[in-house]
Amino acid sequence: MNAETRGGRHLRTLAGIAILGAVVVLVGLTYGGASATTERVFVLFAINLVAAIGLQTFMGTTGVVSFGHIAFMGIGAYAAALLTTPSVLKKSSIPDAPGFLRDADLSFLPATVLAVLFTCFVGCLVGFAIVRLSGTSATISTYALLVIVGIAIINLPDVTRGNQTFYGIPKETTVGMAILFAVAAIAVARVFQDSRVGLLLRASREDQLSAAGSGVPVRRYRLYAWVLSIAIVAAGGSLYAHYVTAISPASFSLQLTFVVVTMVIIGGRGTSGAFVGALLVTAINEIMRQFNGQISIGSVETEVGSLTPLILGTIVIAIMVRRPGGLLGDREIDDVLAPLGRRLRLRAGKTEQPTAEKG
Amino acid sequence: MDTGANVLAVSGAVVKYGRITALHGIDLVVGKGELVCLLGANGAGKSSLLNAVAGLVPLAEGRIEFSGKDVTGVSCHKRNHAGISLSPEGRRILADLTVRENLRLAAARLPKGDQAGRIGEMFELFPVLERKLDSSGGFLSGGEQQQLAIARALLSDPDLLLLDEPSLGLDPINTGKIFDSLGSLKERGLSILLAEQNVTRALELADRAYVLETGRVSISEDARNLSGEEIERAYLGLATTPGGSF
Amino acid sequence: MDLSQFAQQTINALSLGSIYALVAIGLGVVFSIARMVNFAHGELLTIAGYTLYGLFGRVPWPVAIAGAIAAASAAAVVMERGVFRRVKSADPVALLIVSFALSLMIQAVLLIMMGGTAKSIDYPSWVQASFTLGGVNVAWRDVATCVVTFAVLIALVRFLKQSVVGLALRASAEDRDVARLLGVDPRKVIVAAFAISGALAGLAGIMWFSNSGTVTPSSGFEPLMKGFIAAVLGGLGSLGGAVVAGLGLGILEILLRNVLPDGMLGLSDGLVFVAIIVVLLIRPEGLFGKVGREV
């Protein structure tokens, strides 16, 4: 590791957050505000980003692949939607729901906070089990969670309308909100990643036995990572629900799971990695969508859209074969730019000789 | 020594596990028909060396020559086909398979007609195996397992037999049986490289001996010329001559 | 429910359970030898289904069946040699992700090539026919499924105990290094494992689709999930465990289907998945597995 001062490290964290945040704000204000279409693309990107960063907060620090986070995105979405949807509507869409839910008429942000808290509570309960597993067992268990939550949502039709669409959610997600959530997610994730807990977790990622032996409470720290990651993902769920205004269990399925997991795997293990992954996958999705209509491959005609899983899948496999750590690996955007910064400082007037420091 | 008569020639072997270097450049030869023993304390590198010769672990540097051919890059199973057999540390009997199945698998590469005969030879060497043909490997005693491990290694009719601590965990009677069988194998002209903690018995049989200390050869001598004191010091890490000669 | 209905449902349960057992064994063989969970295993059943769709009516039905099994087996080998082998990372989760990606990709390809509408498979008429035995209506399909699965299991056990390839497979599953020391080529063993798992999947697919008679690109998902549950619960490395868990799952499913009111059907699935988490926590080698052979 870099023998930087603590101050230096904090500066790096800030720099990382600032750079990514600035990109989000700039892109959001210019591109996102340009037209209705670009607004849609940007907001979806922001939602993807929040989801990916949430997932990465767990996967990147613990090394465990989770297929279950989308379940918590769903819980966050439904919880927030239940609180913000006008009670007038709820009286007819979910007439049998408990009174306090039916009559709730909260505004977006308070509802999101409550939803996040609720989701974290649920997540914490199952987290106790999940952090006791590792490797394939953990991944399989998180997949089991996805299925279980999906079934739970379907089997509580009084509250969720079961299989049917839950509609009428107020459209509170503007470009501004999207930017806010995205930057907040970046900040929270990056601070955690660089915190003592985060660093210790990442150090023990590959070798859990020796970490536990040296007194690192791996399980407890993993639980922190788990709950925090769920909080972020739940917030993303609320953001999503208040953009599409109608959700159903099918929205939070294996398909979405694959897309978000793909983002994290392609991008890499850090916050910047999740950013790059989200950018890339959203871009590919949108590009594929632009080509409306059919395309002929040999004698077969098909919708261009159906090629998207093939492209994403090929990229995932290629990454797993050649760079299992993802495009960025463990590096952050500030790691890449640090050497540049140093050179600029030298040129700016400090006449000291460049010492043999890490470059 | 005439290198043409060597069945095994290891030069400059370096073995690394991650960042830990287990062997720091080993030079070793086994002549045709010789029984060479590898001595040294736990962790000195004996197993790493035998595993490297068998092909289980790759060399970071160096060469392994078997009967004049460079096998450094050859995969483990192909080295077995070529005539190198290892009875590994801890015996590693296939517990799920019966004695019969263990032997059948080991003999599988022989021509069909020879298999029964060769297995019969193993029964002569290790009669207990014939009595326990249908027992699962996991139910054999330590001594029986060791005999099975050696029989397994011999069934492919190797030119070089590698043995990793065959007497480990065995009582004196079983140890005796093992060394007796090694003796008769040697009489039949098999070349053997034997890693052992039981120094006395190993030196009785051996033509030459190497002593390994923390991944290096510290003594390399005719077995007769080694004094008990020299060996003791090697085990305690106080060897005198680094890399002696004969 | 009277006795004849009970007998009916028992046959259904055994038939369904046999299919789950076959899928579970297929997953277990690959897991034991290649140390990975193959999420694309379900697509092998789908491929068998589409092969039947293409062959039934054009060639004698035994040829069609052989073709479907061969296609699934070949597809499994292609998966291994084309994709899995290239993943250098020893991390089994990397292989799991790759198999997952592969699964979605194969579904996408099938969607493109065959379209999303369900294709009707022209099983020979005797499959859907039934006969009555002591007041019970028995479908030939179910009889065939149970009998064939039983026969295949016996053949598989004999193969593993008596043939050299079978011994090599068992040896590699237990201790890969020792198998290499005995001259077993690890690459060939892995290919053999995939080929066998593919053949088992093909067989399972043939039986699975004989029920609904139709196939879609995502058909393989459900039997994969069921077989996977059985494999994890029974122990991924245990042949007996896979069979017991598979049959048990079939029995449980039919039981719940008859006992629970319609609205609660998803709950049984949910409970089973909870069971998976519990088993992974407490007995990771599965209920019948050997300690040390864990996921």
Side-chain angles (χ1 to χ4, degrees):
Chain A
M1 261 181 45
N2 217 338
E4 275 178 304
T5 64
R6 196 196 290 176
R9 280 207 312 272
H10 286 335
L11 209 58
R12 284 284 207 96
T13 306
L14 270 172
I17 297 174
I19 296 173
L20 288 179
V23 171
V24 170
V25 169
L26 277 170
V27 172
L29 292 178
T30 55
Y31 177 71
S35 72
T37 341
T38 57
E39 178 188 297
R40 182 186 63 82
V41 175
F42 176 74
V43 171
L44 283 178
F45 163 65
I47 295 171
N48 283 340
L49 182 60
V50 173
I53 286 183
L55 180 59
Q56 173 275 133
T57 302
F58 181 69
M59 275 176 63
T61 51
T62 65
V64 173
V65 175
S66 169
F67 284 154
H69 273 67
I70 297 303
F72 297 101
M73 190 174 176
I75 296 179
Y78 270 94
L82 273 168
L83 294 173
T84 57
T85 307
S87 46
V88 174
L89 256 169
K90 285 188 279 195
K91 278 199 176 54
S92 58
S93 67
I94 43 167
D96 298 318
F100 76 95
L101 282 176
R102 221 181 32 216
D103 299 330
D105 253 326
L106 292 165
S107 61
F108 176 55
L109 284 174
T112 302
V113 170
L114 284 173
V116 165
L117 286 172
F118 174 68
T119 314
C120 284
F121 174 66
V122 175
C124 194
L125 290 176
V126 295
F128 280 116
I130 299 289
V131 300
R132 272 167 177 64
L133 299 163
S134 44
T136 317
S137 299
T139 305
I140 292 176
S141 296
T142 57
Y143 176 70
L145 279 180
L146 184 69
V147 174
I148 293 170
V149 169
I151 292 175
I153 294 180
I154 294 177
N155 278 287
L156 292 170
D158 291 344
V159 173
T160 63
R161 281 178 59 84
N163 251 323
Q164 299 181 298
T165 322
F166 185 95
Y167 56 87
I169 311 172
K171 187 157 180 161
E172 301 277 2
T173 302
T174 59
V175 170
M177 270 300 168
I179 293 178
L180 181 68
F181 271 56
V183 174
I186 292 173
V188 168
R190 186 64 200 267
V191 167
F192 176 72
Q193 185 177 301
D194 290 344
S195 72
R196 205 175 134 268
V197 173
L199 288 173
L200 282 169
L201 271 177
R202 282 157 78 197
S204 61
R205 212 166 41 199
E206 263 85 50
D207 193 354
Q208 289 159 26
L209 279 174
S210 64
S214 56
V216 176
V218 178
R219 272 190 200 157
R220 185 149 49 96
Y221 285 3
R222 275 182 165 188
L223 192 59
Y224 296 164
W226 173 259
V227 172
L228 184 65
S229 68
I230 283 175
I232 299 175
V233 160
S238 175
L239 194 68
Y240 173 72
H242 291 85
Y243 186 68
V244 295
T245 72
I247 53 178
S248 73
S251 323
F252 306 104
S253 65
L254 202 52
Q255 292 282 45
L256 182 58
T257 299
F258 177 62
V259 173
V260 179
V261 171
T262 299
M263 292 178 198
V264 178
I265 288 182
I266 290 180
R269 294 202 261 236
T271 312
S272 301
F275 186 91
V276 167
L279 193 60
L280 204 60
V281 172
T282 309
I284 291 176
N285 261 326
E286 283 313 311
I287 292 173
M288 297 306 293
R289 210 193 281 231
Q290 295 302 349
F291 297 108
N292 281 332
Q294 314 282 81
I295 159 175
S296 297
I297 312 169
S299 59
V300 179
E301 264 207 39
T302 180
E303 287 282 339
V304 178
S306 0
L307 292 173
T308 316
L310 283 174
I311 296 181
L312 288 180
T314 313
I315 297 179
V316 168
I317 294 182
I319 296 271
M320 281 283 122
V321 168
R322 306 195 122 252
R323 287 172 85 127
L327 286 172
L328 258 57
D330 276 303
R331 291 176 301 170
E332 291 289 338
I333 196 84
D334 43 278
D335 285 325
V336 174
L337 296 177
L340 269 174
R342 221 168 282 135
R343 251 177 260 144
L344 283 174
R345 262 189 290 132
L346 284 174
R347 227 175 277 169
K350 307 236 167 88
T351 48
E352 62 207 53
Q353 298 292 327
T355 48
E357 52 177 13
K358 179 178 181 287
Chain B
M1 283 195 80
D2 175 10
T3 47
N6 283 342
V7 81
L8 177 70
V10 177
S11 33
V14 173
V15 169
K16 291 188 183 169
Y17 300 114
R19 281 183 294 176
I20 302 175
T21 307
L23 297 179
H24 294 270
I26 302 279
D27 295 315
L28 173 150
V29 292
V30 176
K32 205 154 152 56
E34 276 195 317
L35 192 153
V36 175
C37 68
L38 273 181
L39 306 171
N42 275 330
K46 309 193 293 294
S47 285
S48 299
L49 180 56
L50 288 181
N51 287 342
V53 173
L56 278 183
V57 304
L59 289 187
E61 284 169 46
R63 258 168 72 94
I64 300 178
E65 260 186 38
F66 175 65
S67 296
K69 277 182 297 203
D70 187 347
V71 295
T72 317
V74 174
S75 51
C76 178
H77 66 280
K78 291 223 174 82
R79 291 193 207 186
N80 174 272
H81 302 170
I84 303 177
S85 260
L86 169 67
S87 166
E89 186 183 16
R91 308 180 243 289
R92 289 170 84 169
I93 285 302
L94 293 164
D96 282 348
L97 276 65
T98 63
V99 170
R100 191 196 300 266
E101 289 168 340
N102 264 284
L103 294 173
R104 268 198 73 208
L105 184 58
R109 290 196 53 89
L110 295 173
K112 270 248 150 84
D114 294 345
Q115 288 181 19
R118 191 96 182 115
I119 295 183
E121 285 176 39
M122 293 305 114
F123 291 150
E124 276 174 49
L125 211 46
F126 307 112
V128 70
L129 294 180
E130 193 171 11
R131 291 196 295 269
K132 296 237 170 159
L133 261 184
D134 289 310
S135 302
S136 273
F139 290 134
L140 298 176
S141 74
E144 292 162 352
Q145 285 191 353
Q146 187 59 65
Q147 295 178 52
L148 178 56
I150 299 179
R152 216 173 51 174
L154 288 173
L155 272 170
S156 57
D157 206 7
D159 293 322
L160 172 65
L161 177 64
L162 308 167
L163 289 156
D164 201 339
E165 307 228 20
S167 75
L168 194 65
L170 296 186
D171 60 66
I173 298 181
N174 277 304
T175 306
K177 284 192 198 159
I178 298 292
F179 278 98
D180 287 340
S181 61
L182 289 184
S184 39
L185 287 172
K186 179 166 189 285
E187 273 166 39
R188 296 186 206 181
L190 183 59
S191 316
I192 301 177
L193 180 56
L194 167 70
E196 251 303 334
Q197 295 247 17
N198 191 330
V199 179
T200 340
R201 297 228 52 176
L203 286 180
E204 276 171 26
L205 279 178
D207 297 306
R208 284 184 300 115
Y210 291 88
V211 178
L212 287 185
E213 271 184 86
T214 55
R216 292 188 169 82
V217 175
S218 62
I219 300 176
S220 165
E221 270 289 2
D222 266 16
R224 287 163 301 228
N225 298 346
L226 276 175
S227 70
E229 197 196 301
E230 277 184 284
I231 297 167
E232 231 183 85
R233 294 170 79 183
Y235 269 77
L236 293 174
L238 303 167
T240 45
T241 5
S245 58
F246 43 73
Chain C
M1 194 196 302
D2 60 24
L3 194 61
S4 73
Q5 275 180 308
F6 177 74
Q8 184 81 61
Q9 299 293 33
T10 307
I11 297 172
N12 280 350
L14 288 176
S15 166
L16 195 60
S18 301
I19 300 176
Y20 295 161
L22 282 177
V23 175
I25 296 174
L27 287 169
V29 168
V30 163
F31 177 76
S32 301
I33 295 183
R35 297 278 179 272
M36 64 167 287
V37 177
N38 182 8
F39 255 95
H41 191 82
E43 274 57 56
L44 296 173
L45 279 88
T46 315
I47 289 174
Y50 275 110
T51 310
L52 284 182
Y53 165 74
L55 290 183
F56 268 153
R58 294 213 180 87
V59 298
W61 66 263
V63 176
I65 288 189
I69 295 178
S73 185
V77 172
V78 167
M79 274 185 206
E80 200 284 309
R81 301 195 75 168
V83 181
F84 297 139
R85 187 180 288 195
R86 293 174 204 267
V87 178
K88 296 298 191 304
S89 163
D91 182 6
V93 180
L95 288 163
L96 192 146
I97 292 179
V98 167
S99 74
F100 191 52
L102 206 53
S103 162
L104 291 174
M105 287 170 72
I106 296 177
Q107 289 185 44
V109 169
L110 287 173
L111 184 63
I112 291 173
M113 280 173 48
M114 312 295 303
T117 46
K119 294 283 188 283
S120 173
I121 304 178
D122 240 340
Y123 278 88
S125 46
W126 63 261
V127 168
Q128 304 299 357
S130 55
F131 61 94
T132 11
L133 184 68
V136 181
N137 216 2
V138 181
W140 278 114
R141 179 177 49 75
D142 288 329
V143 173
T145 301
C146 293
V147 170
V148 169
T149 303
F150 186 66
V152 165
L153 280 176
I154 304 233
L156 192 61
V157 170
R158 288 196 71 191
F159 168 73
L160 288 174
K161 284 202 80 65
Q162 293 180 357
S163 77
V164 174
V165 179
L167 290 178
L169 281 167
R170 285 166 62 203
S172 303
E174 183 180 339
D175 191 333
R176 218 187 293 193
D177 283 343
V178 166
R180 287 162 74 199
L181 288 177
L182 293 176
V184 172
D185 185 345
R187 282 210 214 169
K188 289 195 189 149
V189 157
I190 291 182
V191 168
F194 271 91
I196 293 174
S197 85
L200 291 171
L203 199 57
I206 294 170
M207 297 170 179
W208 175 263
F209 293 114
S210 72
N211 210 345
S212 61
T214 59
V215 60
T216 68
S218 53
S219 297
F221 184 70
E222 194 189 331
L224 170 70
M225 274 303 113
K226 296 285 166 59
F228 177 70
I229 292 171
V232 171
L233 291 178
L236 270 161
S238 162
L239 191 72
V243 172
V244 170
L247 289 175
L249 202 62
I251 294 173
L252 183 70
E253 188 173 317
I254 299 293
L255 192 70
L256 289 174
R257 204 184 283 178
N258 281 299
V259 164
L260 288 181
D262 268 338
M264 296 186 49
L265 272 178
L267 280 184
S268 66
D269 268 352
L271 282 171
V272 173
F273 273 94
V274 173
I276 285 199
I277 298 183
V278 171
V279 167
L280 284 175
L281 271 172
I282 302 180
R283 226 189 120 83
E285 66 272 14
L287 293 168
F288 299 95
K290 292 181 198 68
V291 181
R293 209 85 69 75
E294 325 174 330
V295 178

